[in-house]
Amino acid sequence: MSMIVAIDTCAIIHLMYIQRFYLLKILGFSAVITTIYVQIEFEKGYPISHDYFFELIDKKEISKYPLQIEDLVEMANIPQSKRASDAELSCFVIAKRMGWKAMTDDKTACNYIQRYISMSQGSVISLVDILLDAYSKYHLGDDELRSIQTTLKENNFHIKMDLVSEGTRRRLMTGKSV
């Protein structure tokens, strides 16, 4: 079964920091899509992230997916808040309508949006989910995961858990070993 993910700005930037965008494909995502609102955020952003985003578009690693009128209506029905941008909201709305996953690392936006949009369990993922899944499937090792966590921390994305400890716990629970 192929999976599709609607990815927002912060998740793309975090994947840029760790240089692991390829993990999405390795983990079975047949397509990574985004919206015009995410593109607008990159157009207004820093040159390094702007260039990274448009390089992903050019290489067809990410596709822009058009919003439908019903998506815009659903977005308009959610009260405007600084807690969630149109970029995050558009990814959630399109993921819900199409039965895809939404990917964000912004917990505040995620919590706010999910007050108004009902998403099924497991429909919203974050970089932590991707990293732990990649680790549990042996696509990442202990040293890589530690290095990734350090890099993210240096770029102000603090993960409260120790990824290697949590990944090891999950491996033990599922009984997967090399």
Side-chain angles (χ1 to χ4, degrees):
M1 179 177 115
S2 64
M3 296 183 293
I4 298 175
V5 64
I7 192 169
D8 80 347
T9 311
C10 62
I12 294 169
I13 289 171
H14 293 149
L15 284 162
M16 176 190 72
Y17 289 149
I18 64 171
Q19 300 175 18
R20 299 288 194 298
F21 195 85
Y22 67 87
L23 287 175
L24 296 172
K25 193 162 293 256
I26 286 174
L27 294 174
F29 289 97
S30 59
V32 180
I33 67 96
T34 199
T35 70
I36 187 66
Y37 290 106
V38 172
Q39 178 179 330
I40 290 168
E41 283 190 354
F42 278 106
E43 288 172 350
K44 294 178 181 177
Y46 292 103
I48 191 167
S49 57
H50 171 278
D51 294 347
Y52 180 75
F53 175 76
F54 284 99
E55 184 178 316
L56 291 171
I57 294 287
D58 291 344
K59 291 181 176 178
K60 299 190 181 345
E61 296 290 328
I62 295 179
S63 301
K64 290 182 286 182
Y65 197 83
L67 295 165
Q68 304 288 320
I69 295 293
E70 62 203 61
D71 300 325
L72 298 171
V73 168
E74 186 162 6
M75 288 174 66
N77 287 330
I78 297 172
Q80 289 284 342
S81 172
K82 291 182 180 180
R83 291 181 236 149
S85 71
D86 285 338
E88 293 144 348
L89 183 55
S90 65
C91 289
F92 274 70
V93 167
I94 207 163
K96 177 188 171 199
R97 179 172 57 84
M98 299 301 294
W100 299 338
K101 292 186 182 290
M103 183 173 175
T104 185
D105 291 329
D106 188 331
K107 287 189 186 285
T108 301
C110 184
N111 292 336
Y112 180 76
I113 293 168
Q114 286 190 308
R115 287 175 34 199
Y116 300 96
I117 296 177
S118 178
M119 303 277 288
S120 62
Q121 185 75 15
S123 292
V124 180
I125 60 172
S126 69
L127 180 60
V128 170
D129 298 315
I130 295 298
L131 295 173
L132 291 173
D133 192 23
Y135 181 81
S136 71
K137 293 176 179 167
Y138 296 91
H139 296 298
L140 295 174
D142 293 0
D143 291 338
E144 286 177 288
L145 209 51
R146 283 187 190 97
S147 174
I148 287 168
Q149 190 157 7
T150 299
T151 299
L152 291 170
K153 185 176 182 180
E154 289 167 355
N155 287 283
N156 297 316
F157 181 48
H158 301 273
I159 300 170
K160 293 178 182 165
M161 71 179 83
D162 177 65
L163 290 175
V164 173
S165 296
E166 179 60 20
T168 302
R169 185 188 72 76
R170 291 183 185 196
R171 278 183 183 170
L172 291 172
M173 288 181 65
T174 60
K176 291 182 181 179
S177 61
V178 180

